[in-house]
RNA sequence: UCCGGGGUGGCGAAAUUGGUAGACGCACAGGACUUAAAAUCCUGAGGGGUGAACAACUCCGUGUCGGUUCGAGUCCGACCCUCGGUACCA
């Protein structure tokens, strides 16, 4: 008996791949890789080794990349297909806390477990290149890159990062000076003559000046403090409703001194360069929105009581400046203390306190309330000096965007409008609305311009300016876009404003108070001086700690405290040349390690550099990573951060491409049904019965069903191991791909697996007589019909493989296989083509059949079959005969048939004849090899 | 609110990008094999109508309504539902 024994076969081949190191990739340095061959770098977003193990949703992307990797090998590429583990960060530490074991131990256990699960999926990784971000030999280079960031600045003129020494040189050469406000100004800027020279500053002052340009810097900022996680979080890690993305805990705003990375300097390039990458439109859109570019102007308002004092605002509608009737500052705006009058002091302070006490969640729910108080002070209107502009504070103005202050134009901004209505402030119309708008509100233009406050909405659209003139300028009748330009010209001429591009993107808050992360390579000296660790002293090893729990867990009033504060003194304190330093006690966030791991894979064990230049050049050259597959959830986190680091490394000359990931592909989620009983408790999905009336029961009780994520807590999780045990890994791989397009979300349905399993069994029986073990292959030529079908299948499967449409590629193989069923023996050529095409999808069976066909070498590097164009062109074509666009007959004709041939045949067809009776053909449409359509009239 | 994706049989889906809608698979039904079941194999099937007919023909069908076209799942306009992203961004 020679049945299809997948358990035996699959372990046989997995062992063979291991023993023969089938998928090990050579290295250029060592001369074991031929760099004249084209390369293909196909990468998965590496996983967090969580304690829960994988469910069937996780390998979806891994299987897809594996198919691509195997296909590309067969097409003659050198393929880099590595895997590693993103092991620092909250999930690992949370799991360690839950189990009471040190994260170093649990992480390694989880990695072992996950690696086994991945191996069981028959993935052709080069495991010799495995990396984990928690390995000191890896995070040494994460720290090294941090030092590069610290020692770099962004030159706005060249739009690129440069070593900080260049900036110091420029200062020393007196190309830059510091103006009275503390800003760096260049020779060509106004005011350079009166600005202070570099030499006049103390070294401490010089360091403070430099820190304003360093790409990594310490700053006092308003942070997202998440007591539930015991750490602060980046903006990208906080969800829309003011909760932590991980764990869904509430987040509070708090001022704190933290490490920041100056990602905002790259806002423009991060946005613009998206056009150069082949990424899903959705992800590009998300990044574009997140970066949030908007064009407008800075406008300066003088204070009434002292014209020398100014408040700056950003506006996208400088054309509406004449309509500004008040100003609003964010409650935490630094000028508020200064502006508030004695009468208003009490009210302002009370308001501020009330706002500060709110969590982000509460702020969300109080949205649109438009609460605020008057500071008591007035500004002067920049174009109408006799107009007083009261200054208010309100929490609808956010400190983090623009200048934390707005000029309110209530007639043409809904938020300002609501605020004006609530607090009885003036509303002045300065744009003539579209006639449609007036009609909708049954107003004449005169009536609207007279009293725009009569409506309950602002007119935010474009139009022509009105009531916008003073002694110097007159914008009346000018269209919005033109008026914007003219106003900016005017503001610049009067030196009270200028053009400005504003981004929503904020700098990246880079420190965390948790234990399980990369230590900063930073030393704090006396008097607040900062020094980075010398390269030769890297890595700064994360110290062993017994108690690694976050310090201020679940205490929203406490201030965040780094866990490393409880490390032993001999770690915390460092003496260099007789000076003592304290180590930085914060750790880097989860995302640090994943910002550059794809570079390390090109040369994972290098001790002298993060990756050898030759290896980096070869694998990353051209297009960066050729195919990067992962979930869409990283659209504005990992993918934005990694692009940022990569661009800095590119500017500094360490990498060869401007973008890290040439092509990105998002796989969909696998969803599953979960079931709840009437108390809302989840019941094991596996044991739920479907009743005839379409309802569901568990142990006789009615339960409700919903579609969603797979998870242990939902009791609907299925692990790949279970499926592989039952059906084998080839079946599992085929099934996941056959569910539908990879980028789509799909519902798991265990019952449907038998379909592809049957396909494999049938294929086996087509090749092997199960009774005798005899190979059912015959070494004869294929007949024309079979040859045509085989070549067609090759053509279609090749196209599908190139487009990553594995579901239809499988369908074509099933069809070919179904044809084999009707044959006693399969011609060798057809069998070969089938096995070769099967290989990327179901590699174990393909290897076994390949061996049975007599080949000694692994099929992994055999050539993908080519379709014979000559044979394809001999194909008969199906031509449709339509009458008035309705199909009346099908004809099968030679590919060479002319229109005359086809029409002759068509007119012989009974059904066509019938429909052409008693009518006249007014037009004939002929599409070669496709159809004839007669347009007829009675 | 704005932005993006998606609505096709009982279900997952396919459709050469404007040219026979539903390939392939699941589930289902009937049959073969079997003491029986499983496995396997064969056959059927979008919905309706005219047929004695498993012949043949025919009408309707891709979220809704309208349009362009000889011809629309595919293009255009309006709308509905759904899934993501965003969160007062001045």
């Amino acid at each position: 008996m020679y049945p299809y024994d997948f358990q035996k076969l699959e372990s046989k081949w997995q062992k063979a791949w291991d023993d023969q190191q089938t998928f090990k990739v050579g290295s250029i340095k060592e001369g074991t890789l031929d760099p004249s061959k084209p390369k293909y770098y196909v990468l998965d977003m590496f996983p967090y080794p969580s304690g829960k193990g994988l469910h069937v949703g996780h390998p979806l992307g891994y299987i897809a990349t594996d198919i691509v990797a195997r296909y590309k090998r067969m097409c003659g590429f050198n393929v880099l297909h590595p895997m590693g583990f993103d092991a620092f960060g909250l999930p690992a530490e949370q799991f360690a806390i839950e189990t009471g074991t040190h994260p170093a131990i649990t992480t390694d256990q989880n990695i072992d477990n996950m690696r086994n699960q991945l191996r069981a999926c028959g993935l052709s990784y080069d495991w010799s290149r495995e990396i984990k971000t928690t390995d000191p030999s890896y995070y040494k280079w994460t720290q090294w890159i941090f030092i590069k960031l610290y020692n770099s600045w962004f030159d706005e003129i060249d739009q690129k990062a440069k070593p900080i020494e260049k900036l110091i040189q420029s200062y020393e050469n007196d190309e830059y000076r510091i103006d009275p406000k503390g800003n760096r100004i260049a020779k060509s800027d106004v005011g350079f003559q009166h600005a202070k020279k570099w030499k006049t500053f103390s070294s401490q002052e010089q360091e403070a000046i430099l820190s304003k340009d360093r790409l990594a810097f310490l700053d006092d900022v308003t942070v997202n403090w998440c007591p539930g996680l015991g750490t602060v979080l980046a903006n990208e890690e906080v969800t829309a409703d003011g909760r932590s993305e991980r764990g869904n805990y509430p987040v509070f705003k708090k001022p704190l001194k933290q490490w920041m990375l100056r990602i905002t300097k790259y806002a423009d390039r991060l946005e613009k360069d998206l056009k150069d990458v082949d990424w899903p439109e959705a992800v590009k859109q998300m990044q574009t929105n997140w970066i949030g570019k908007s064009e407008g102007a800075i406008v300066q308002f003088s204070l009434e009581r002292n014209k020398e004092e100014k408040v700056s605002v950003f506006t996208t509608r400088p054309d509406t400046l004449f309509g500004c009737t008040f100003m609003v500052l964010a409650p935490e705006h630094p000028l508020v203390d200064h502006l508030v009058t004695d009468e208003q002091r009490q009210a302002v302070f009370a308001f501020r306190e009330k706002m500060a006490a709110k969590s982000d969640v509460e702020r969300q729910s109080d949205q649109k309330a438009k609460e605020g108080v008057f500071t008591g002070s007035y500004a002067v209107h920049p174009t109408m000096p006799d107009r007083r502009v009261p200054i208010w504070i309100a929490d609808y103005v956010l400190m983090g965007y623009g200048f934390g202050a707005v000029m309110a134009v209530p007639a043409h901004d809904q938020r300002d409008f609501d605020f004006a209505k609530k607090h009885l402030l003036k509303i002045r119309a300065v744009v003539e609305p579209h006639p449609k708008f007036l009609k909708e509100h049954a107003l004449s233009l005169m009536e609207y311009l007279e009293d725009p406050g009569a409506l309950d909405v602002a007119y935010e659209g474009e139009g022509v300016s009105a009531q916008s003139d003073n002694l110097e300028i007159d914008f009346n009748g000018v269209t919005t876009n033109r008026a914007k330009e003219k106003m900016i010209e005017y503001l610049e001429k009067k030196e009270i404003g200028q053009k400005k591009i504003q981004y929503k993107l904020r700098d990246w808050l880079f420190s965390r108070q948790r234990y399980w992360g990369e230590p900063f390579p930073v030393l704090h000296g006396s008097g607040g001086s900062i020094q980075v660790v010398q390269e030769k002293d890297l890595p700064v090893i994360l110290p062993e700690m017994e108690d690694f729990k976050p310090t201020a867990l679940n205490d929203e009033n406490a201030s965040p405290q780094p866990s490393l504060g409880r490390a032993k003194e001999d770690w915390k304190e460092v003496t260099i040349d007789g000076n003592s330093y304290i180590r930085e006690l914060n750790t880097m966030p989860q995302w640090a390690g994943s910002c550059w791991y794809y570079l390390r894979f090109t040369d994972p064990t290098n001790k002298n550099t993060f990756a050898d230049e030759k290896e980096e050049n070869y694998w990353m050259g051209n297009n960066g990573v050729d195919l990067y597959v992962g979930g869409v959830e990283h659209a504005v986190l990992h993918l934005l951060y990694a692009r940022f680091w990569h661009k800095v490394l590119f500017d500094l000359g360490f990498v060869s491409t401007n973008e890290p990931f040439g092509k990105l592909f998002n796989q969909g989620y696998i969803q599953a049904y979960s079931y709840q009983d009437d108390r809302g408790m989840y019941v094991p999905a596996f044991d739920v019965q479907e009743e005839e009336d379409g309802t569901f029961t568990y142990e006789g009780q009615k339960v409700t069903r919903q579609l969603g994520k797979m998870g242990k807590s939902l009791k609907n999780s299925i692990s790949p191991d279970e499926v592989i045990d039952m059906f084998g890994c080839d079946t599992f791989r085929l099934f996941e791909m056959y569910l539908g397009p990879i980028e789509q979300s799909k519902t798991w349905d265990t019952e449907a697996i038998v379909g592809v399993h049957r396909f494999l069994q049938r294929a086996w029986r087509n090749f092997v007589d199960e009774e005798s073990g005899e190979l059912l292959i015959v070494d004869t030529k294929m007949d024309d019909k079979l040859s045509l079908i085989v070549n067609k299948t090759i053509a279609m499967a090749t196209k599908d493989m190139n487009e990553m449409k594995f579901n239809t590629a499988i369908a074509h193989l099933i069809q070919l296989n179904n044809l084999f069923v009707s044959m006693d023996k399969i011609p060798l050529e057809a069998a070969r083509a089938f096995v070769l095409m099967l290989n990327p999808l179901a590699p174990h069976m393909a290897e076994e059949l390949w061996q049975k066909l007599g080949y000694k070498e692994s099929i992994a590097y055999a050539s993908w079959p080519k379709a014979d164009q000559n044979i394809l062109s001999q194909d008969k074509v199906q031509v449709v005969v339509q009458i008035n666009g309705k199909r009346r007959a099908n004809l099968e004709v030679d590919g060479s048939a002319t229109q005359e041939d086809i029409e002759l045949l068509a007119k012989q067809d009974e059904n066509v004849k019938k429909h052409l009776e008693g009518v006249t053909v007014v037009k004939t449409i002929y599409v070669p090899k496709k159809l004839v359509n007669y347009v007829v009239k009675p």
Side-chain angles (χ1 to χ4, degrees):
Chain A
M1 294 291 276
Y2 297 86
Y4 167 50
D5 184 346
F6 58 80
Q7 273 162 348
K8 219 174 89 194
L9 293 184
E10 291 181 353
S11 51
K12 166 184 164 184
W13 285 106
Q14 287 183 8
K15 188 167 179 303
W17 295 331
D18 270 357
D19 292 349
Q20 291 159 25
Q21 303 201 318
T22 308
F23 303 112
K24 189 171 157 69
V25 186
S27 92
I28 298 169
K29 290 183 296 192
E30 291 161 18
T32 48
L33 183 88
D34 175 7
S36 67
K37 268 177 50 175
K39 63 98 186 185
Y40 199 84
Y41 186 177
V42 47
L43 182 66
D44 298 292
M45 289 185 188
F46 66 163
Y48 309 114
S50 90
K52 290 172 189 141
L54 300 177
H55 62 65
V56 290
H58 294 110
L60 188 73
Y62 305 150
I63 293 170
T65 52
D66 191 64
I67 292 167
V68 172
R70 288 176 184 271
Y71 171 65
K72 289 287 175 182
R73 279 188 203 105
M74 296 176 81
C75 294
F77 288 84
N78 282 330
V79 173
L80 181 58
H81 185 41
M83 181 44 98
F85 300 93
D86 189 13
F88 269 135
L90 288 175
E93 193 180 318
Q94 294 290 78
F95 181 73
I97 291 168
E98 280 162 29
T99 56
T101 318
H102 194 276
I105 297 166
T106 55
T107 298
D108 283 348
Q109 286 170 350
N110 293 344
I111 287 177
D112 287 343
N113 180 35
M114 235 174 186
R115 193 191 299 110
N116 286 338
Q117 284 190 299
L118 291 172
R119 279 173 172 267
C121 296
L123 304 171
S124 62
Y125 293 122
D126 175 359
W127 284 106
S128 73
R129 290 183 184 239
E130 177 185 325
I131 54 180
K132 59 174 176 178
T133 54
T134 50
D135 194 326
S137 71
Y138 179 85
Y139 69 68
K140 170 181 178 177
W141 299 104
T142 312
Q143 293 170 337
W144 179 85
I145 295 172
F146 178 84
I147 292 172
K148 292 293 164 213
L149 288 163
Y150 179 78
N151 282 328
S152 301
W153 65 296
F154 189 82
D155 186 347
E156 307 268 1
I157 296 162
D158 295 348
Q159 282 287 302
K160 63 183 278 197
K162 296 177 177 176
I164 197 86
E165 290 81 32
K166 296 252 178 191
L167 181 61
I168 298 173
Q169 249 171 41
S170 300
Y171 276 127
E172 283 174 349
N173 297 341
D174 203 25
E175 286 160 25
Y176 287 122
R177 289 185 188 171
I178 302 299
D179 78 3
K181 281 186 189 156
N183 294 321
R184 169 165 56 83
I185 56 171
K187 243 179 194 160
S188 54
D189 292 337
V190 284
F192 183 77
Q193 290 305 321
H194 311 290
K196 286 180 82 177
K197 290 184 183 176
W198 177 248
K199 287 178 202 144
T200 63
F201 294 98
S202 70
S203 61
Q204 213 173 339
E205 285 168 330
Q206 288 180 344
E207 187 41 59
I209 290 166
L210 289 178
S211 80
K212 288 191 169 181
D213 273 301
R214 291 184 187 276
L215 292 183
F217 62 106
L218 267 176
D219 199 15
D220 288 299
V221 285
T222 304
V223 300
N224 302 300
W225 161 234
C226 179
L229 293 170
T231 184
V232 300
L233 298 170
N235 292 324
E236 288 81 359
E237 293 170 301
V238 180
T239 60
D241 52 355
R243 288 173 170 274
S244 64
E245 188 165 72
R246 189 161 294 281
N248 203 31
Y249 298 108
V251 168
F252 299 82
K253 293 271 186 264
K254 237 189 168 84
L256 207 65
K257 196 176 197 107
Q258 294 285 299
W259 279 101
M260 305 292 291
L261 298 187
R262 223 178 280 281
I263 190 172
T264 49
K265 290 287 178 192
Y266 279 85
D268 189 50
R269 275 171 63 188
L270 286 169
E271 195 224 53
K272 275 199 191 129
D273 294 348
L274 283 172
K275 70 177 187 323
D276 301 326
V277 292
D278 179 7
W279 283 21
E281 221 28 66
V283 175
K284 287 192 184 186
Q285 199 81 43
M286 277 189 238
Q287 290 212 350
T288 304
N289 289 344
W290 189 261
I291 294 165
K293 180 179 181 171
S294 48
E295 292 180 36
I298 300 175
V299 186
Q300 288 178 355
F301 285 68
S302 297
L303 295 188
E304 188 183 53
R305 64 167 188 236
N306 176 3
K307 300 271 184 338
E308 292 309 305
E309 288 187 82
K310 315 260 190 186
V311 186
S312 293
V313 301
F314 172 73
T315 177
T316 51
R317 291 294 299 271
D319 61 301
T320 63
L321 179 54
F322 280 96
C324 170
T325 53
F326 58 99
M327 287 177 84
V328 188
L329 308 189
E332 60 272 48
H333 194 287
L335 272 177
V336 173
D337 285 338
H338 182 63
L339 286 173
V340 65
T341 57
D342 289 339
E343 307 88 81
Q344 291 300 100
R345 196 170 299 271
Q346 188 111 41
V348 166
F349 280 27
F351 180 74
R352 268 175 142 189
E353 240 159 66
K354 193 171 133 198
M355 292 303 144
K358 279 189 195 175
S359 71
D360 279 13
V361 181
E362 288 167 308
R363 281 195 189 214
Q364 296 292 336
S365 59
D366 295 352
Q367 232 182 64
K368 314 267 145 105
K370 295 288 178 296
E371 284 188 64
V373 286
F374 181 40
T375 61
S377 286
Y378 291 86
V380 179
H381 194 285
T383 58
M384 305 290 276
D386 55 336
R387 232 191 264 159
R388 305 179 88 195
V389 179
I391 305 174
W392 286 64
I393 63 168
D395 87 336
Y396 83 90
V397 176
L398 310 170
M399 194 56 227
Y401 184 74
F403 297 90
V406 301
M407 64 174 221
V409 183
H412 305 297
D413 182 287
Q414 191 61 42
R415 295 155 304 179
D416 297 343
F417 184 90
D418 294 341
F419 194 79
K421 281 264 193 174
K422 178 155 182 170
H423 301 285
L424 305 173
L425 293 156
K426 270 195 209 112
I427 303 174
R428 276 177 59 91
V430 291
V431 179
E432 293 182 10
H434 196 274
K436 224 165 121 188
F437 176 88
L438 292 169
K439 208 171 151 193
E440 252 169 53
H441 294 93
L443 272 185
S444 74
L445 180 59
M446 287 299 282
E447 285 168 327
Y448 176 78
L449 291 177
E450 196 71 16
D451 182 16
L455 304 178
D456 50 8
V457 288
Y459 179 70
E460 295 185 313
E462 301 193 347
V464 300
S465 294
Q467 311 190 103
S468 300
D469 59 288
N470 62 20
L471 292 173
E472 293 175 321
I473 42 170
D474 182 354
F475 295 162
N476 292 331
V478 178
T479 57
T480 297
N481 280 332
R482 187 78 194 101
K484 281 182 188 174
E485 287 168 23
K486 289 185 78 167
M487 181 58 87
I488 290 170
E489 274 169 38
Y490 177 73
L491 293 171
E492 285 178 350
K493 203 178 88 197
K494 303 283 274 185
E495 289 186 21
I496 50 171
Q498 69 205 71
K499 190 169 180 166
K500 164 86 177 166
I501 292 171
Q502 183 67 45
Y503 298 94
K504 279 197 241 180
L505 185 70
R506 316 283 158 85
D507 278 329
W508 177 12
L509 175 73
F510 198 64
S511 27
R512 299 292 182 275
Q513 289 69 49
R514 299 294 291 250
Y515 167 69
W516 194 235
E518 297 88 347
F520 280 78
V522 169
L523 301 170
H524 296 270
S526 57
S529 74
I530 292 169
Q531 188 163 328
V532 288
V533 173
Q534 294 195 17
E535 259 184 54
K536 67 174 172 57
D537 295 330
L538 294 179
V540 177
I541 305 265
L542 184 68
E544 288 283 331
M545 273 172 57
E546 299 267 300
D547 176 18
F548 46 84
K549 273 196 207 68
T551 308
L553 197 59
N554 292 326
D555 180 359
E556 67 177 76
N557 297 316
S559 65
Q561 294 291 332
S563 299
L564 287 179
R566 284 175 285 120
K568 293 212 178 80
E569 300 302 318
D570 64 354
W571 184 84
K572 287 198 284 188
E573 291 171 10
V574 183
T575 306
I576 301 169
D577 299 337
N579 298 319
S580 55
Y581 297 90
I582 304 278
R583 283 195 191 279
E584 169 66 47
L585 298 174
N586 286 299
T587 52
M588 297 189 199
Q590 170 126 51
W591 314 103
S594 59
C595 271
W596 72 282
Y597 74 111
Y598 55 93
L599 295 170
R600 187 65 174 172
F601 276 134
T602 65
D603 191 13
T605 54
N606 200 315
K607 290 203 169 68
N608 305 315
T609 171
F610 68 92
D612 184 88
E613 199 183 331
K614 280 203 203 91
E615 307 282 353
E616 190 279 333
N617 262 296
Y618 179 71
W619 290 113
M620 290 296 293
N622 250 332
N623 207 16
V625 174
D626 296 280
L627 177 66
Y628 193 29
V629 176
V632 71
E633 69 274 15
H634 290 122
V636 288
L637 290 159
H638 160 59
L639 287 171
L640 193 65
Y641 296 149
R643 290 179 67 217
F644 163 51
W645 278 38
H646 194 85
K647 283 176 186 297
V648 176
L649 292 174
F650 176 65
D651 290 350
L652 298 177
F654 291 112
V655 298
S656 42
T657 56
N658 181 32
E659 284 286 335
F661 313 119
K663 181 176 172 137
L664 176 73
F665 196 92
N666 292 126
Q667 90 274 17
Y669 298 105
I670 288 194
Q671 299 184 300
Y673 289 108
S674 57
Y675 301 86
Q676 283 169 292
D677 63 19
D678 50 12
R679 293 169 305 166
M681 302 293 282
Y682 286 98
V683 303
F686 195 73
D687 300 326
V688 169
Q689 307 269 324
E690 179 164 9
E691 302 301 321
E692 276 182 14
D693 58 358
T695 63
F696 300 91
T697 57
Y698 170 69
E699 293 181 341
Q701 302 290 312
K702 273 220 155 69
V703 291
T704 57
R705 178 173 95 154
Q706 54 272 318
L707 188 62
K709 283 187 179 165
M710 222 177 235
K712 286 249 160 82
S713 59
L714 304 173
K715 297 195 178 166
N716 62 353
S717 194
I718 296 174
S719 80
D721 316 58
E722 298 171 53
V723 181
I724 291 170
D725 275 354
M726 239 185 297
F727 296 97
C729 140
D730 281 341
T731 299
F732 176 61
R733 291 167 60 105
L734 280 175
F735 180 63
E736 293 235 327
M737 293 303 108
Y738 197 58
L739 279 171
I742 312 162
E743 65 272 23
Q744 237 169 64
S745 283
K746 41 216 132 194
T747 312
W748 182 261
D749 176 14
T750 304
E751 280 195 9
I753 296 177
V754 292
V756 282
H757 192 60
R758 277 178 199 151
F759 159 62
L760 289 178
Q761 287 177 311
R762 213 171 288 159
W764 180 262
R765 280 196 306 271
N766 286 337
F767 278 76
V768 180
D769 186 311
E770 289 194 296
E771 295 297 319
S772 66
E774 182 200 353
L775 193 60
L776 302 173
I777 304 296
V778 57
D779 196 0
T780 55
K781 268 191 77 91
M782 299 187 279
D783 62 38
D784 287 354
K785 192 182 145 221
L786 179 62
S787 164
L788 183 65
I789 291 171
V790 167
N791 277 285
K792 266 169 124 173
T793 307
I794 293 172
M796 291 189 288
T798 305
K799 189 164 182 291
D800 288 344
M801 292 304 266
N802 288 331
E803 292 170 10
M804 293 177 73
K805 291 178 166 181
F806 305 131
N807 54 334
T808 48
I810 294 167
H812 295 133
L813 289 183
I814 290 176
Q815 265 174 309
L816 181 57
N817 189 49
N818 287 347
L819 185 73
F820 290 161
V821 171
S822 59
M823 302 178 184
D824 283 341
K825 292 201 170 180
I826 311 168
L828 180 61
E829 218 180 317
R832 248 182 63 95
F834 178 81
V835 174
L836 286 167
M837 289 188 281
L838 185 66
N839 179 51
L841 300 158
H844 307 82
M845 183 184 270
E847 286 275 21
E848 182 68 20
L849 293 177
W850 191 244
Q851 194 181 53
K852 283 194 177 297
L853 291 179
Y855 296 93
K856 301 276 186 291
E857 298 286 312
S858 162
I859 194 173
Y861 295 93
S863 289
W864 182 261
K866 267 207 166 64
D868 185 332
Q869 290 304 320
N870 283 331
I871 293 171
L872 287 181
S873 65
Q874 288 162 18
D875 191 10
K876 299 223 175 204
V877 289
Q878 298 279 323
V879 174
V880 180
V881 185
Q882 296 182 337
I883 288 157
N884 281 350
K886 286 208 158 74
R887 184 182 62 88
R888 296 302 171 193
N890 292 345
L891 303 174
E892 199 185 72
V893 300
D894 285 339
S896 59
T898 62
Q899 180 173 359
E900 285 74 44
D901 300 338
I902 290 166
E903 285 205 48
L904 203 68
L905 275 171
K907 288 186 172 153
Q908 284 167 12
D909 183 275
E910 288 302 320
N911 204 31
V912 173
K913 269 193 212 161
K914 200 174 88 190
H915 283 89
L916 286 179
E917 239 165 68
V919 294
T920 44
V921 175
V922 291
K923 200 172 168 188
T924 304
I925 286 137
Y926 173 65
V927 183
K929 299 186 180 187
K930 289 233 167 86
L931 64 75
V932 183
N933 186 15
Y934 294 112
V935 185
V936 299
K937 261 188 180 164

